[in-house]
Amino acid sequence: MADSTMKVNIVCAERPLWVGEAKSVTVPASEGGMGILPDHEPMMTVIDKGIVSAVDVDGNRHSFEVSDGFASFDSNSLTVAAETGDDVKKSVTQ
């Protein structure tokens, strides 16, 4: 694998949620959870309500609760477009 990262753009109808380089991303595909790594074959899938999680090049995890949308991957570029989305950390209490 020559390129160990992929470009990721996670957006919802109101605003962009996260843009960056990632080593892996998981999406709540309508068929079940789907993991995407660099050099994945091109795909497009419907996403349901759930968590989109991206691991950036430094190993940090960025997680967002999303609902209804799609994910598209081609040429090491992933776009996740959701109807609604919010940073999971905002709703976590310790």
Side-chain angles (χ1 to χ4, degrees), residues 22-64:
K23 297 191 288 187
S24 67
V25 178
T26 57
V27 297
S30 60
E31 305 87 26
M34 174 184 277
I36 302 166
L37 297 172
D39 298 320
H40 193 284
E41 66 183 42
M43 67 87 192
M44 179 176 264
T45 188
V46 173
I47 59 171
D48 289 331
K49 183 176 182 179
I51 303 294
V52 172
S53 183
V55 178
D56 69 22
V57 295
D58 295 323
N60 299 313
R61 183 174 304 275
H62 305 271
S63 298
F64 306 92

Side-chain angles (χ1 to χ4, degrees), residues 5 7 9 17-18 32 36 39 46 52-55 57 60 63-66 70 75 77 85 91-92:
T5 65
K7 295 178 184 178
N9 188 16
L17 296 172
W18 188 75
I36 302 166
D39 298 320
V46 173
V52 172
S53 183
V55 178
V57 295
N60 299 313
S63 298
F64 306 92
E65 186 170 356
V66 299
F70 71 90
S75 302
S77 182
S91 61
V92 174

Side-chain angles (χ1 to χ4, degrees), residues 11 15 21 24 28 32 50-51 66 82 86:
V11 299
R15 62 188 172 89
E21 293 282 324
S24 67
I51 303 294
V66 299
D86 199 13

